[in-house]
Amino acid sequence: MKNAEKIEIDRRYCKGCMLCKYICPCDVFEPGQTRSDLDYLMPQPIRIENCRVCGLCESNCPDMVLTVFAKEKRKENQ
Amino acid sequence: MNPLGEKYLRKEFLPFLFCPGCGDGMIVQAFLQAVDDLGCIDDLALTAGIGCSAWIGVYMNVDILKVLHGRAIPAAIGLKATQPSRKVVTFTGDGDCLAIGGNHLLHAARRNIDMTVVMVNNQIYAMTGGQVAPSTVVGSKTQTTPYGNIEKQLDGCKIALAAGATMVSRWSTAHLKPLIKTFKNALNHKGFSYIEIMSQCPVQTGRYLLGSGSPQFNLQWLKDHCVKEEDPSRWLEVESQGKIPVGDFLRIEQPEFMEEVQRMNQRVKEEQGKGGDR
Ligand SMILES: Cc1ncc(C[n+]2csc(CCOP(=O)(O)OP(=O)(O)O)c2C)c(N)n1
Ligand code: SF4
Ligand code: SF4
Ligand SMILES: [Mg+2]
């Protein structure tokens, strides 16, 4: 199964619409306390360990601010 | 900015002027995904009218003519006539395309001009503050219909079909995957493509028509109300349940206007060369 290394949210342009939280099938996001440069409260990927790198949050983000980085695949025995 | 945005957006124009959670930004991304899949960014030339939706093309790093309200389609026809090798795409709204620009839609479709119209239907004049549009459902209270809209709705897909468009689809921002596929088909279609997208406008449509300004609520509304039905004989039934049929409705090949013009010119030249008495 795929996992995420990190989920980046570009604070310059995020408008805190929270559609990522609504879209995500794995309940990764919650509203956070940090404000973006546009002064909106940004989402936080607090349960990133749940992420399956489906890409839905990235492709649905209306401001194209979200990037999901997949963990490099490791060999089974490592 | 995600990698698609890094690759194709005009950074100096950011952020998008759209309100938080607006569907228009999702359409920017879906369209760019289709363009990226086809690798055709350098072939594009865009036009747009006036309205929130008309800004969709402005953020893409592509040549664009941003013209008067309602006149995006005639501008596109001129562009296609002078730059026939370009893939010409028009971004327009339900007001821009069906109200002030309605006549242009009819005749571009009738002539089967090789271009793509991306019509963003949020069922309202959003940019100007939520006035009634030809696409607004009967009974809706808007800024200009405080006692409820008494006018019947105009359906852009039915009009495009009746007028002679050779590709007609409708999707919504809750259907991004099929929408991207449809964009790709439209960009490769030789003839007039009309792609309508039901899109959430939480600020105007949401507040006035649907009773909630929440982006989540508005996207869910589209998911619940846009149902796939590609058989026009079943549309009445779908509509009687308050739903909106979506899908790929038509894709056929027919003689295209610009090619017909060339063919006619060639024929006339040949006839004159033969020494006819014209
Ligand atoms: C000739 C002219 N008439 C009226 C206006 C005012 N106006 C600007 S946008 C608009 C409606 C836009 O509605 P729509 O095309 O649905 O776009 P939306 O903002 O909903 O995406 C109107 C009436 C104008 N700019 N120019
Ligand atoms: S990639 Fe998919 S699973 Fe991961 S956070 Fe985004 S929507 Fe959720
Ligand atoms: S008014 Fe509506 S359509 Fe216009 S940017 Fe805001 S949410 Fe989008
Ligand atoms: Mg509109």
Side-chain angles (χ1 to χ4, degrees):
Chain A
M1 218 180 316
K2 272 189 169 178
N3 290 107
E5 179 76 48
K6 70 174 169 172
I7 295 175
E8 209 172 74
I9 301 172
D10 192 333
R11 60 168 298 150
R12 292 173 299 171
Y13 308 126
C14 178
K15 295 178 189 150
C17 73
M18 289 295 153
L19 280 183
C20 48
K21 173 174 161 56
Y22 157 81
I23 289 283
C24 176
C26 300
D27 199 23
V28 166
F29 298 94
E30 284 300 330
Q33 288 307 309
T34 315
R35 284 189 183 271
S36 70
D37 292 357
L38 303 172
D39 210 23
Y40 294 101
L41 285 172
M42 302 205 297
Q44 244 194 317
I46 58 162
R47 285 176 292 271
I48 190 166
E49 67 281 4
N50 289 356
C51 175
R52 296 289 169 262
V53 200
C54 68
L56 280 175
C57 53
E58 188 171 320
S59 59
N60 277 271
C61 173
D63 287 277
M64 300 175 75
V65 300
L66 225 147
T67 316
V68 183
F69 294 89
K71 257 186 199 155
E72 291 290 325
K73 272 204 185 118
R74 277 180 226 141
K75 295 232 171 74
E76 291 290 290
N77 54 1
Q78 275 186 325
Chain B
M1 193 55 33
N2 71 21
L4 203 61
E6 283 296 342
K7 197 167 169 187
Y8 293 118
L9 293 181
R10 283 181 213 264
K11 310 294 178 307
E12 68 274 23
F13 281 27
L14 298 178
F16 294 161
L17 61 64
F18 312 130
C19 311
C22 174
D24 290 2
M26 296 166 78
I27 298 169
V28 173
Q29 169 147 232
F31 185 79
L32 287 176
Q33 186 63 59
V35 167
D36 192 55
D37 289 350
L38 296 178
C40 68
I41 189 84
D42 293 331
D43 304 334
L44 292 178
L46 313 177
T47 78
I50 302 293
C52 300
S53 42
W55 280 84
I56 289 172
V58 174
Y59 296 106
M60 303 175 190
N61 205 356
V62 176
D63 293 338
I64 182 165
L65 286 172
K66 186 118 177 7
V67 299
L68 288 174
H69 191 29
R71 313 301 174 216
I73 290 176
I77 298 172
L79 192 50
K80 186 68 191 176
T82 51
Q83 304 272 318
S85 65
R86 299 280 198 113
K87 291 180 188 296
V88 175
V89 182
T90 292
F91 290 96
T92 177
D94 46 330
D96 201 63
C97 185
L98 297 182
I100 190 167
N103 197 34
H104 301 303
L105 171 66
L106 294 181
H107 296 285
R110 173 172 76 86
R111 294 172 176 140
N112 195 29
I113 294 180
D114 185 18
M115 59 177 286
T116 301
V117 169
V118 177
M119 196 281 248
V120 179
N121 186 352
N122 51 19
Q123 311 176 65
I124 211 159
Y125 290 180
M127 177 157 265
T128 41
Q131 295 84 4
V132 71
S135 49
T136 307
V137 181
V138 181
S140 305
K141 286 188 181 169
T142 70
Q143 289 283 15
T144 40
T145 54
Y147 308 114
N149 175 26
I150 55 171
E151 297 174 11
K152 255 212 248 174
Q153 226 179 318
L154 208 53
D155 183 322
C157 286
K158 288 180 192 163
I159 287 176
L161 286 168
T166 48
M167 179 170 171
V168 179
S169 296
R170 182 193 284 125
W171 292 107
S172 84
T173 45
H175 297 82
L176 293 181
K177 240 184 165 167
L179 173 64
I180 291 167
K181 195 165 162 228
T182 297
F183 276 149
K184 288 195 261 188
N185 286 335
L187 287 166
N188 283 329
H189 179 72
K190 186 98 202 145
F192 189 84
S193 322
Y194 175 85
I195 314 299
E196 183 169 319
I197 308 159
M198 302 303 300
S199 174
Q200 77 272 19
C201 164
V203 171
Q204 310 295 357
T205 317
R207 279 191 309 178
Y208 293 116
L209 267 58
L210 309 179
S212 166
S214 130
Q216 291 95 311
F217 175 92
N218 282 271
L219 193 54
Q220 185 65 46
W221 188 92
L222 289 172
K223 208 174 261 179
D224 295 340
H225 287 79
C226 296
V227 295
K228 191 168 171 198
E229 182 49 80
E230 294 176 337
D231 177 359
S233 72
R234 302 241 275 272
W235 286 351
L236 264 182
E237 191 190 323
V238 170
E239 289 159 0
S240 69
Q241 295 159 2
K243 306 256 161 107
I244 303 156
V246 298
D248 291 317
F249 303 142
L250 182 76
R251 184 149 64 108
I252 53 168
E253 276 187 39
Q254 275 184 0
E256 190 275 325
F257 181 80
M258 299 298 167
E259 282 185 355
E260 289 303 300
V261 170
Q262 278 181 343
R263 203 166 291 143
M264 178 182 69
N265 287 347
Q266 188 64 30
R267 179 167 47 80
V268 171
K269 254 187 215 150
E270 280 168 17
E271 283 169 8
Q272 286 175 341
K274 278 182 206 148
D277 54 358
R278 286 160 207 243

